[in-house]
Amino acid sequence: MTANIAPPPKSTSGAVASLKTAVGDAYQGFFDITHNGLALLGTLLAVGLITLSARADLRAGAEEQLLGWLLERQEAANADAMYVAEPTAADRVTAAQPGDLPKQQANVTFWLSRKYRVAPEPLSVLVAEAFQIGEKAKLDPTLILAVMAVESRFNPFAQSPVGAQGLMQVLTRMHTEKYDDFGGQLAAFDPVSNLRVGARVLQDAVKRAGSVEGGLRLYVGAVSTDGSWYINRVMAEHLRIQSVALGKPMQRYVPRPRATPVVAPAAPVPPVAPGGDIEAGGSVPLPHTAPLTRS
């Protein structure tokens, strides 16, 4: 009996050889293309260099283009470095939400914001500070705000021709010691510090004069006039802000203060020690006829 024998499996050597040949051909083609491309690039580069060395105008143009490209890259890198994120930057800002204020203060804040075109957030801090200082110094806070409005229109960086600076336009050079408790003269441009120093000067002036109107005359430094032009403006704004705070209709008629003659004293008036109600320093006020905020 003859046994059935399976035929031997088909050899795969032919397929392997074909695959190797295809891979080899592809590699050789890639090598040839790359080699020829590099050779062509080198040739073009050599021709370009020879041309640039022979043509000064072309060389200058190429240098300008290259320099411009490098400058653009440098400016882009500097711009990226300039706008580095600073998550704590908000801590330097003097601002608060007006909605967190009591009703009277919020009304004043929004009214001043509309009239003087100042953002309500920084105004919120100033209004709250004025009310707090007014309570300590026995001054109407709306009077303090009126002085700020007339003096600087709530510009913390304002400066007059004679050197009065900041919100309350205090002569920094004459009240240097009052800024010592706030770190020095540059505190004149810090809104809260300037407000405290200015309110202290106003408090001293009112005490020395014995009335708000007389204190305003001393505050503005009116020596040769009765200061009615300044007193009228401040008192008018004071009554408006007061009406807003109390929720009353705006007053149309503002009583004008009586003009008082100005007589220079024969001798300097003895200085009166300040009340010390405001945390803004403990300096001795100036003689009666010396200007407090400007010359």
Side-chain angles (χ1 to χ4, degrees):
M1 185 175 179
T2 304
N4 294 328
I5 301 174
K10 186 177 181 180
S11 175
T12 60
S13 58
V16 173
S18 299
L19 180 61
K20 289 182 177 180
T21 302
V23 171
D25 292 342
Y27 174 77
Q28 186 63 37
F30 176 77
F31 178 80
D32 292 341
I33 292 173
T34 305
H35 183 269
N36 293 334
L38 291 175
L40 179 61
L41 181 62
T43 302
L44 294 175
L45 182 60
V47 172
L49 292 175
I50 294 173
T51 303
L52 291 176
S53 61
R55 296 283 302 275
D57 55 340
L58 294 178
R59 184 171 64 255
E63 291 175 352
E64 290 181 0
Q65 291 184 358
L66 179 60
L67 181 59
W69 179 75
L70 292 175
L71 290 176
E72 289 178 0
R73 292 289 303 273
Q74 184 177 5
E75 290 176 358
N78 292 337
D80 293 339
M82 184 187 306
Y83 298 104
V84 177
E86 189 178 357
T88 59
D91 296 339
R92 298 197 304 266
V93 179
T94 305
Q97 293 298 333
D100 298 336
L101 297 175
K103 182 176 177 58
Q104 284 189 353
Q105 299 180 27
N107 291 342
V108 171
T109 297
F110 287 118
W111 186 81
L112 291 174
S113 174
R114 290 191 298 269
K115 180 174 182 179
Y116 293 97
R117 299 182 181 181
V118 182
E121 288 81 6
L123 267 179
S124 299
V125 176
L126 301 179
V127 170
E129 188 71 22
F131 272 78
Q132 184 177 0
I133 289 177
E135 182 179 357
K136 293 179 180 179
K138 303 299 186 292
L139 286 175
D140 193 325
T142 59
L143 175 65
I144 300 174
L145 292 170
V147 171
M148 270 190 285
V150 172
E151 290 285 357
S152 68
R153 299 183 65 87
F154 298 98
N155 177 7
F157 308 125
Q159 177 165 309
S160 74
V162 296
Q165 296 176 325
L167 286 174
M168 300 283 284
Q169 289 290 280
V170 178
L171 279 174
T172 305
R173 66 177 182 271
M174 297 183 63
H175 298 279
T176 303
E177 73 286 348
K178 286 184 172 65
Y179 286 106
D180 289 343
D181 291 342
F182 302 101
Q185 296 185 39
L186 290 179
F189 299 105
D190 172 62
V192 175
S193 300
N194 190 282
L195 193 162
R196 292 176 180 175
V197 171
R200 178 61 176 273
V201 174
L202 178 61
Q203 179 195 30
D204 292 345
V206 172
K207 285 185 177 181
R208 288 168 55 188
S211 67
V212 171
E213 289 80 3
L216 290 174
R217 186 179 71 84
L218 291 178
Y219 189 87
V220 77
V223 177
S224 59
T225 66
D226 62 3
S228 59
W229 58 273
Y230 178 78
I231 298 172
N232 292 339
R233 289 184 62 191
V234 173
M235 293 303 295
E237 191 68 0
H238 163 47
L239 292 178
R240 294 188 194 99
I241 300 173
Q242 192 177 61
S243 299
V244 172
L246 298 177
K248 296 181 178 180
M250 195 71 64
Q251 297 191 34
R252 295 180 178 272
Y253 171 74
V254 179
R256 295 182 177 275
R258 184 180 62 183
T260 56
V262 179
V263 179
V269 177
V272 180
D277 295 326
I278 304 174
E279 299 175 359
S283 63
V284 177
L286 300 171
H288 184 71
T289 57
L292 295 176
T293 57
R294 56 184 63 77
S295 59

